[in-house]
Amino acid sequence: MEHVGVPYGSVARLILLFLQTEALRTGSREIELGGSLRQWLSRLGASIGGSNARAVRDQAERISRCRLTFHIQGSGKVGLVNQSIVDRALFIDDEVTGRQGRLSLETAKLSEGFFEQLQKHPVPLEEAAIRAISNNPAALDAYLWLAYRLHVLSGDKLITWKALKAQFGAGYKELFHFKPRFTHALSLAAAVYPKAKIEVVDQGVILKPSPPPVPYKHAAIR
């Protein structure tokens, strides 16, 4: 047995974005990595080489082994949903160290549940925006959160600092440590998502109905 750990950092987020983007583009759960992932990361300024190549391999393996548990509570009922991101992954051997399955993730097949939710709730993202904040995990999280939430709101919504810390600040012991850093990440996200309507107040952050980062394309009826 060998400890692998959970995905973390900018590279893990960029790989996840790639998997989701390719799955939606091709309409398939099966995704070829290799050259496609290299090209995509290069476009975002995170080319695969040297220590960054090791980080990509490491984070790809962490994602492929990741299991998530969602705790759902409401209306007097409590439920659990166990979800994996990847159903099947194919690695090739590490010729340098002789260790198996650690050199490169060549193909990945998204789990059926993850793929279904991805198709039901797609959110168009601006590649230039992701490239601009690709080295800042907190700003990426804030951008993706705003992109997902703002365009479906029917009215203003206050998210308290306590709720924001529970979602984004698990690594911070005190709320006063978390607030300024999340506010900074939020400002970076808003800078690359100028249509985002948000307001930082003493109680938290007010989200306001806003257009998505990229307008939805409506197919012509023929």
Side-chain angles (χ1 to χ4, degrees), residues 134-190:
S134 62
N135 63 343
N136 190 313
L140 282 170
D141 287 344
Y143 172 77
L144 296 172
W145 177 62
L146 294 177
Y148 183 77
R149 291 294 306 272
L150 295 183
H151 73 104
V152 297
L153 291 176
S154 58
D156 293 2
K157 175 73 173 179
L158 172 66
I159 312 297
T160 66
W161 288 115
K162 182 179 179 181
L164 289 168
K165 182 177 180 297
Q167 183 172 353
F168 296 103
Y172 294 93
K173 184 177 180 180
E174 302 293 344
L175 186 60
F176 64 82
H177 290 145
F178 166 73
K179 286 174 63 175
R181 300 199 176 186
F182 185 73
T183 300
H184 177 64
L186 205 58
S187 67
L188 293 176

Side-chain angles (χ1 to χ4, degrees), residues 181-203:
R181 300 199 176 186
F182 185 73
T183 300
H184 177 64
L186 205 58
S187 67
L188 293 176
V192 298
Y193 182 3
K195 296 178 182 178
K197 299 176 183 177
I198 58 175
E199 183 180 355
V200 178
V201 296
D202 290 341
Q203 298 90 348

Side-chain angles (χ1 to χ4, degrees), residues 8 11 41 46-59 103:
Y8 69 90
V11 170
L41 289 174
S47 58
I48 301 178
S51 61
N52 203 39
R54 290 190 292 272
V56 170
R57 293 194 294 268
D58 179 51
Q59 294 302 324
L103 178 60

